[in-house]
Each structure stands twice: as C-alpha cells, then as structure tokens.
Amino acid sequence: LVVRPLAVKSNGAAGRAAAAANTLRVAERELAAADALVKGKQQADEELSAFYGRVLPADMTAARRMTYASLPALARRTGVFYEARTTDIENVGRDGRLARMNIRMILQGEYDNLRQFIYGLESAPEFVIIDDVTLVEGATDEPLRLTVNMSTYYRTEPNAR
C-alpha cells in the first residue's frame, strides 16, 4: 500500500484539469473553424446559384436567343459589316451540367468602328466572354478584318433556373 501526500495528488489533478481545459479550447477552435467552413461553403453555393439564375442563360435556346440577334445588331450600330458567324457547343465541367457555346464572328470595318464593337460587346448586359481577337489588315483600299472568338455558358439540366 502506497500513500501519497495530498499536495502531489492535487498537483496531478490540477495538471489533468489544465490539460483538459487546453484540449477543450483546441476543440472549440476547431469547431469554430469547421462552422466557418460550412458557412463559407453555403454562402459560395448561394452565390453560385444566384449567378446561374440571374446571369447565365437558362438553356441552349436562351443562349442562342441572347446572341443571335444582339451581335449582328451591335455590328450595325457600330458601323461594322457582319460577314460570317459560326457556333459550336461543348460540355464543360465534371458533372456535365454546364455547357459552353463558342461563337466565332468575322467582321469588317474601320479601326474605330471595330473598337466600338468590342467595347459594346464588353459592356453589354449579356454574359458573353471574348476569348480571342484577331485583326488583319487587307490591301490599301480594303477594310480591316476582325475575327472575334467568344463564348457564353448555360445550364444543361432541366429547370435550371
């Protein structure tokens, strides 16, 4: 039978209590960090849903409707000759719920008018991204030729909005 002095027993209990208090503080900090992560993910999900709902076209038909008439109209307003347009569609993302419509337009005009076209495209409310711009100078009496590669994205799942 071993008998310990009371001071040794209380020091051991105080040490265990201090260690438990430290462990509790660490656990509370980890819980707060996990809560912040969950809240941050929820906010990101809400913002992404709002982006999908308010900015992106709801489907391929809406994306075509958004660009089909507005791009030639912008060309007319800026004094640019609309020569040709092609589009193609590709799925993007791992889950396949998002698609990209690639648009290639060939335009002709004076330099200032072509700049106005690009500015109008950049400042338009439609969600269109300019991916690439190529400006080619023709013969002395020919207008400049501008090729603009752009894209817009849209949801591919039903009832996307």
Side-chain angles (χ1 to χ4, degrees), residues 65-83 85 103 105-130 133 146 148 150:
R65 192 176 320 119
M66 178 183 76
T67 59
Y68 184 76
S70 66
L71 295 175
L74 176 61
R76 280 190 302 278
R77 277 195 313 275
T78 57
V80 173
F81 176 70
Y82 169 63
E83 187 177 313
R85 169 191 171 140
I103 304 161
M105 285 186 74
I106 301 173
L107 307 157
Q108 289 184 3
E110 298 300 317
Y111 181 76
D112 287 339
N113 295 355
L114 294 171
R115 283 188 57 188
Q116 287 177 354
F117 176 85
I118 292 171
Y119 175 77
L121 186 58
E122 289 176 332
S123 59
E126 293 85 14
F127 184 73
V128 176
I129 300 167
I130 298 175
V133 176
L146 177 71
V148 182
M150 57 197 111

Side-chain angles (χ1 to χ4, degrees), residues 138-160:
T140 306
D141 57 344
E142 291 181 7
L144 296 173
R145 185 173 185 175
L146 177 71
T147 302
V148 182
N149 294 317
M150 57 197 111
S151 55
T152 189
Y153 294 81
Y154 61 90
R155 299 288 296 261
T156 58
E157 64 187 38
N159 302 322

